[in-house]
Amino acid sequence: MCHLLTMSDLTNEDINEILQDAEWFWKGNTWTTPQKMYSVNLFFEPSTRTKCSFEMAERKLGMEIIPFETNTSSLHKGETLYDTVKTLEAIGVDLAVIRHNQDHYYRELIPNIRIPIINGGDGCGQHPTQSLLDLFTIKQEFGTFKGLNITIIGDISHSRVARSNMEALTKLGANVTFSGPPEWFDHSFSLGNYAPINQAIEHADVVMLLRIQHERHQGKSFYSAEQYHDQYGLTLERVNRMKNGSIIMHPAPINRNVEIADELVECKKSRIFKQMENGVYIRMAVLKRAVEHSLRGCLHELHN
Amino acid sequence: MCHLLTMSDLTNEDINEILQDAEWFWKGNTWTTPQKMYSVNLFFEPSTRTKCSFEMAERKLGMEIIPFETNTSSLHKGETLYDTVKTLEAIGVDLAVIRHNQDHYYRELIPNIRIPIINGGDGCGQHPTQSLLDLFTIKQEFGTFKGLNITIIGDISHSRVARSNMEALTKLGANVTFSGPPEWFDHSFSLGNYAPINQAIEHADVVMLLRIQHERHQGKSFYSAEQYHDQYGLTLERVNRMKNGSIIMHPAPINRNVEIADELVECKKSRIFKQMENGVYIRMAVLKRAVEHSLRGCLHELHN
Amino acid sequence: MCHLLTMSDLTNEDINEILQDAEWFWKGNTWTTPQKMYSVNLFFEPSTRTKCSFEMAERKLGMEIIPFETNTSSLHKGETLYDTVKTLEAIGVDLAVIRHNQDHYYRELIPNIRIPIINGGDGCGQHPTQSLLDLFTIKQEFGTFKGLNITIIGDISHSRVARSNMEALTKLGANVTFSGPPEWFDHSFSLGNYAPINQAIEHADVVMLLRIQHERHQGKSFYSAEQYHDQYGLTLERVNRMKNGSIIMHPAPINRNVEIADELVECKKSRIFKQMENGVYIRMAVLKRAVEHSLRGCLHELHN
């Protein structure tokens, strides 16, 4: 399949192939599309990292990018997402990266759209390239996933990352533990247990902090920044409980002094900016895969 | 002349040349600007299709595009359109595509601007590249315009497309009929008559639907989506009245189940997404023409 | 140093080198970065000229530009400017041009950011590339700065240009006089005196008009457009008081018939659009300098 929509669609073999390609790019190897190809990045929610990271990856693969400003497009004239994407396909765009606030937005696209769709995040659903770059960062550090203890802390029920990562990490042999406000834990997450914050930090190889998504909290239990940091944040005190060789991750953007103490963002254990760097390699790998699958598909049609 | 402002400025010969170039591009031929050239796309009204289509066409001709976000430009500091375009010219931009909500916005530009202006739509005025791509789509289908019956249905008085197309199609030998809400018909349109909807559809070779421009209707007669669809839309019932070999066109964005039944948007008779594809070839042809005229103009000045 | 933050950081020698490089580019010479480099233009305030001018300059040097829309970025999720720039650095951006409404915004960036920052304007602080292009325009005209009388008229206390230019021009040997509303004069500007408007115009080699920054005036003394033009604008009457060989400059955007009579914007004495053209050459020179210093810095680190 050309699309990348959820982590659940990927087998362990798929994941390993993508991680290997990312490492190949990380080592300085280059690959460009065999013909001029055009991509579009449709971001209907704010993004710095993911959008810029895809832009960088696309350019490194020699793709041309058709700019698309979601706030001045015909979506303001009531056009559906399907018609927008179908239009871009008709115009000659070869691949679309989409972030949208609606869960599973891609379901209305898949049946009739013939270009690969890369999911850049759907509502409270998934964010597969974020998961993959997290996996890549962990793999670089530990060489394996088997037996690793991964603690995911924070706004679990709203997190695209928590859901995708839990599934993938478990499938790859790691043990996932959740912590943070108990009322934010999602009991439908059958693959990981909840543990109190200090205990969850002490036994972790990876402490993965999630951003508090203020913009998705409405009428829910409320913590002040200080309260949250004190009760569930990675404080200067708590970081000392972490094991030797363990690392800190955060998908960013960071709320400094909320999820993590300001001074720890760039500390020795932190892989936060490393994750961003790795994001480019992962997206190069994912785009390469989509292009190759898509061209094989086209060739196949030509031969029939 | 380098500019492309209205269909009225083009002779039949000009139109045929542009259609021939578009077909030449459609066949897979390529042409790039003889020197590095820079374009800018100034869209002061929402657009997906037209803006992305120009972006694609410019890239296919090897032009570099200076991005310009109309909502963060100095127009917010009260700068005139003339000063904005003159600035871009001074900076080294070679060509500007402009969409603006003011009718004939280009009149204040033409006297002193020395780079080609391509009109991407002015208020309720014209939208020449849309007309040209409509002509190209009809030509591809029927090989000629002579004697064809073209029915244009909908929001005629607000439509840049209705006006441009009526003029051009008549000049090329087709018969234009209008339909839709009689109170939306513009009696200053001397080149086409009004006919009731079913009759207009039955005798048409081309049924050209127009988008209801909600954003331009204020205090005018109002139809609900259902009412409009029922009375003037291309319904599943009405499509059966269409002749063999006749086609459906729509400039898009489409209001599904208003101007046209959802199920008909991609039906066999529909050329709606074909129009969008053709838009890129037409814009390549129009840009090529502007660049060639402009360079000839420069050479001419050098020789004097 | 790789950064360009204020004019005060530049010695006369630095300035002369930049002006020489700009002239070298103006003569048609070309230079491209020795390896593929990526820039980003972060404009948190409206801009046409400066942003497009940097875009053009970057393209002429062969740089790739990662687009960044400030109104859809994660800054809307509360991310700090530091984290945004650090993210872009992690993603592989090699250079950032930044405009921000906060004075000295760059102070929080400099200690830990490793890519060159080019200041595209900070609050009421500085706007060094505007100053440099002003200097370049004056140098082209008069060949020297020594003994020239430069009159700066208008909204001095809010002007990034007034401050930067006063410092640089004085350092280079010119005499700076200020005029305009006396209550808008900034008495902390020790390097230039205030003179009444007609006298200031009569003795000037360069009449440099400043834009009234309506967006920064709140609760201050108010002039209607007519009043301002009448009392402090360059009117059709006042232009006749100017010396032979003297020139008119304005950083733009222009409020026509406020700072300057409409008819004078493109008159023989005006260098206003020439300034914009020169802006591209200056920015090419500034970017080249930043890239060269930055690459030397990298090489240096490699050798240690």
Side-chain angles (χ1 to χ4, degrees), chain A residues 38 64-69 71-77 79 82-84 86-88 90-93, chain B residues 46-49 51-53 55-56 59-60 69 71 99 211 215 253 255-256 266 273 276-277 280:
Chain A
Y38 298 87
E64 291 243 18
I65 304 159
I66 300 294
F68 187 91
E69 293 168 53
N71 54 348
T72 56
S73 78
S74 287
L75 288 140
H76 285 259
K77 301 184 193 163
E79 190 170 46
Y82 173 81
D83 284 341
T84 298
K86 195 75 189 165
T87 293
L88 292 164
I91 281 168
V93 163
Chain B
S47 168
T48 294
R49 237 153 312 278
K51 185 160 189 292
C52 289
S53 182
E55 290 266 352
M56 182 62 88
R59 280 157 204 269
K60 293 208 162 174
E69 294 168 51
N71 53 351
R99 167 172 292 188
R211 189 175 75 87
E215 67 275 21
N255 297 302
R256 282 172 180 259
E266 296 181 59
F273 288 105
M276 298 178 200
E277 188 192 328
V280 178

Side-chain angles (χ1 to χ4, degrees), chain A residues 3-4 11 35 37 49 77 101 108 112 119 134 148 163 196 203-204 220 228 234 255 258-259 264 279 292 297 301:
Chain A
H3 308 300
L4 177 62
T11 64
Q35 62 199 57
M37 295 189 85
R49 236 154 313 278
K77 301 184 193 163
N101 65 359
E108 60 167 306
N112 287 306
N119 184 7
D134 289 343
L148 286 182
R163 193 181 300 271
H203 92 301
K220 285 192 75 182
Y228 186 89
L234 190 61
N255 297 303
V258 184
E259 299 107 37
L264 298 178
E292 285 177 337
E301 280 170 27

Side-chain angles (χ1 to χ4, degrees), chain B:
Chain B
M1 198 184 54
C2 302
H3 308 299
L4 177 62
L5 306 174
T6 71
M7 286 304 284
S8 341
D9 298 334
L10 299 174
T11 64
N12 281 1
E13 206 183 353
D14 291 331
I15 292 173
N16 280 323
E17 261 179 46
I18 293 170
L19 299 186
Q20 275 164 27
D21 267 3
E23 201 186 359
W24 187 79
F25 282 123
W26 175 81
K27 284 179 177 162
N29 294 294
T30 56
W31 179 89
T32 51
T33 60
Q35 61 200 57
K36 182 67 105 185
M37 295 188 86
Y38 297 87
S39 70
V40 70
N41 301 311
L42 305 176
F43 278 69
F44 297 98
E45 291 191 313
S47 168
T48 294
R49 237 153 312 278
T50 308
K51 185 160 189 292
C52 289
S53 182
F54 269 111
E55 290 266 352
M56 182 62 88
E58 288 155 350
R59 280 157 204 269
K60 293 208 162 174
L61 302 187
M63 302 179 91
E64 290 245 20
I65 303 160
I66 300 295
F68 187 93
E69 294 168 51
T70 51
N71 53 351
T72 56
S73 77
S74 288
L75 288 139
H76 285 258
K77 301 185 194 162
E79 190 170 48
T80 63
L81 180 61
Y82 173 80
D83 283 342
T84 298
V85 178
K86 194 75 190 168
T87 294
L88 292 164
E89 181 190 294
I91 281 169
V93 163
D94 297 297
L95 182 146
V97 178
I98 306 178
R99 167 172 292 188
H100 200 283
N101 66 359
Q102 188 194 310
D103 288 21
H104 315 300
Y105 68 81
Y106 44 80
R107 286 188 187 156
E108 58 166 308
L109 303 181
I110 297 313
N112 287 306
I113 297 293
R114 276 163 300 180
I115 58 173
I117 306 293
I118 309 291
N119 184 7
D122 63 298
C124 295
Q126 293 230 353
H127 186 358
T129 59
Q130 178 69 44
S131 285
L132 286 164
L133 77 87
D134 288 343
L135 296 180
F136 183 44
T137 306
I138 294 169
K139 184 85 180 287
Q140 275 193 327
E141 196 71 31
F142 300 99
T144 180
F145 300 96
K146 293 241 161 58
L148 285 182
N149 293 321
I150 317 283
T151 289
I152 303 179
I153 300 171
D155 195 358
I156 290 153
S157 59
H158 289 92
S159 173
R160 304 190 269 235
V161 180
R163 193 181 300 272
S164 307
N165 278 0
M166 172 187 66
E167 286 183 16
L169 284 163
T170 306
K171 214 157 57 171
L172 290 160
N175 311 308
V176 176
T177 303
F178 293 103
S179 192
E183 67 277 26
W184 290 1
F185 179 55
D186 188 329
H187 291 280
S188 72
F189 280 22
S190 54
L191 301 173
N193 291 315
Y194 179 87
I197 182 75
N198 288 342
Q199 179 189 325
I201 283 178
E202 280 163 13
H203 92 300
D205 296 294
V206 177
V207 170
M208 196 178 276
L209 305 164
L210 302 177
R211 189 175 75 87
I212 301 190
Q213 308 201 37
H214 301 295
E215 67 275 21
R216 297 191 206 268
H217 279 274
Q218 285 164 335
K220 285 192 74 180
S221 66
F222 176 78
Y223 293 84
S224 72
E226 290 75 17
Q227 283 171 335
Y228 185 90
H229 189 59
D230 206 47
Q231 292 180 46
Y232 304 109
L234 190 61
T235 58
L236 292 175
E237 189 276 323
R238 280 195 191 103
V239 77
N240 290 322
R241 297 173 179 267
M242 288 179 66
K243 293 202 291 191
N244 272 344
S246 62
I247 61 171
I248 302 164
M249 294 172 69
H250 190 303
I254 306 157
N255 297 302
R256 282 172 180 259
N257 290 325
V258 184
E259 300 107 36
I260 181 168
D262 188 37
E263 298 88 334
L264 298 178
V265 172
E266 296 181 59
C267 78
K268 261 196 150 177
K269 279 187 174 311
S270 168
R271 295 297 174 273
I272 297 177
F273 288 105
K274 180 76 180 156
Q275 284 172 273
M276 298 178 200
E277 188 192 328
N278 283 342
V280 178
Y281 301 118
I282 279 294
R283 283 160 188 135
M284 289 169 81
V286 160
L287 291 165
K288 173 171 175 282
R289 183 174 172 270
V291 166
E292 286 176 337
H293 283 224
S294 154
L295 290 176
R296 268 208 292 280
C298 295
L299 286 171
H300 182 68
E301 280 170 28
L302 288 175
H303 289 163
N304 284 352

Side-chain angles (χ1 to χ4, degrees), chain C:
Chain C
M1 197 186 52
C2 301
H3 308 301
L4 177 62
L5 306 173
T6 71
M7 287 304 285
S8 343
D9 298 335
L10 299 174
T11 63
N12 281 2
E13 206 182 352
D14 291 331
I15 293 174
N16 280 324
E17 261 179 46
I18 293 170
L19 298 186
Q20 274 163 28
D21 267 2
E23 200 185 0
W24 187 78
F25 282 124
W26 176 80
K27 283 179 177 162
N29 293 295
T30 56
W31 180 89
T32 52
T33 59
Q35 61 199 57
K36 182 68 103 185
M37 295 190 85
Y38 298 86
S39 69
V40 70
N41 301 311
L42 304 177
F43 277 69
F44 298 98
E45 291 191 314
S47 168
T48 295
R49 233 155 314 279
T50 309
K51 186 162 190 291
C52 288
S53 182
F54 269 111
E55 290 266 352
M56 182 62 86
E58 288 156 349
R59 279 157 204 268
K60 293 209 163 175
L61 302 187
M63 302 180 90
E64 290 245 18
I65 303 160
I66 300 295
F68 187 93
E69 294 168 51
T70 51
N71 54 350
T72 57
S73 77
S74 286
L75 288 139
H76 285 257
K77 300 186 194 161
E79 191 170 44
T80 63
L81 180 62
Y82 173 80
D83 284 341
T84 298
V85 177
K86 195 75 189 165
T87 293
L88 292 164
E89 180 190 295
I91 281 168
V93 164
D94 297 296
L95 181 147
V97 178
I98 307 179
R99 167 172 292 189
H100 200 284
N101 64 1
Q102 188 193 310
D103 288 21
H104 314 301
Y105 67 81
Y106 44 80
R107 286 188 186 157
E108 60 167 306
L109 303 180
I110 296 313
N112 287 305
I113 298 292
R114 277 164 301 179
I115 58 172
I117 306 293
I118 310 289
N119 184 7
D122 63 298
C124 296
Q126 292 230 355
H127 187 356
T129 58
Q130 178 69 43
S131 284
L132 287 164
L133 77 87
D134 289 343
L135 296 179
F136 183 43
T137 306
I138 294 169
K139 184 85 182 288
Q140 275 193 326
E141 197 70 32
F142 299 100
T144 181
F145 299 97
K146 293 241 161 60
L148 286 183
N149 293 321
I150 318 283
T151 289
I152 303 180
I153 300 170
D155 194 358
I156 289 153
S157 58
H158 289 93
S159 173
R160 304 190 270 235
V161 180
R163 193 180 300 271
S164 308
N165 278 0
M166 172 187 67
E167 287 183 15
L169 284 164
T170 306
K171 213 157 58 172
L172 290 161
N175 312 307
V176 176
T177 303
F178 293 105
S179 192
E183 67 276 27
W184 288 1
F185 179 55
D186 188 329
H187 291 280
S188 73
F189 280 23
S190 54
L191 301 172
N193 291 316
Y194 179 86
I197 182 76
N198 288 344
Q199 179 188 327
I201 282 178
E202 280 164 13
H203 93 299
D205 296 295
V206 177
V207 170
M208 196 177 276
L209 306 164
L210 301 178
R211 191 175 73 87
I212 301 191
Q213 307 200 39
H214 301 294
E215 68 275 21
R216 295 190 208 269
H217 279 272
Q218 284 162 336
K220 284 192 74 181
S221 68
F222 176 78
Y223 294 84
S224 73
E226 289 76 17
Q227 282 171 336
Y228 185 90
H229 189 59
D230 207 47
Q231 292 180 46
Y232 304 109
L234 190 61
T235 58
L236 292 175
E237 190 274 325
R238 281 197 190 101
V239 77
N240 290 323
R241 297 173 178 267
M242 287 179 67
K243 294 202 290 192
N244 272 344
S246 63
I247 61 171
I248 302 165
M249 294 172 68
H250 189 303
I254 306 156
N255 296 303
R256 283 172 180 259
N257 290 325
V258 184
E259 300 106 37
I260 181 168
D262 188 37
E263 296 90 334
L264 299 178
V265 172
E266 295 181 59
C267 77
K268 262 197 148 175
K269 279 186 172 314
S270 168
R271 295 296 174 274
I272 297 177
F273 288 105
K274 180 76 180 157
Q275 285 172 274
M276 298 177 200
E277 188 193 327
N278 283 343
V280 178
Y281 301 117
I282 279 293
R283 282 159 190 136
M284 289 168 81
V286 160
L287 291 165
K288 173 171 175 282
R289 182 173 172 271
V291 166
E292 286 177 337
H293 283 223
S294 155
L295 290 176
R296 267 208 292 280
C298 295
L299 286 170
H300 182 69
E301 280 170 27
L302 287 176
H303 290 160
N304 284 351

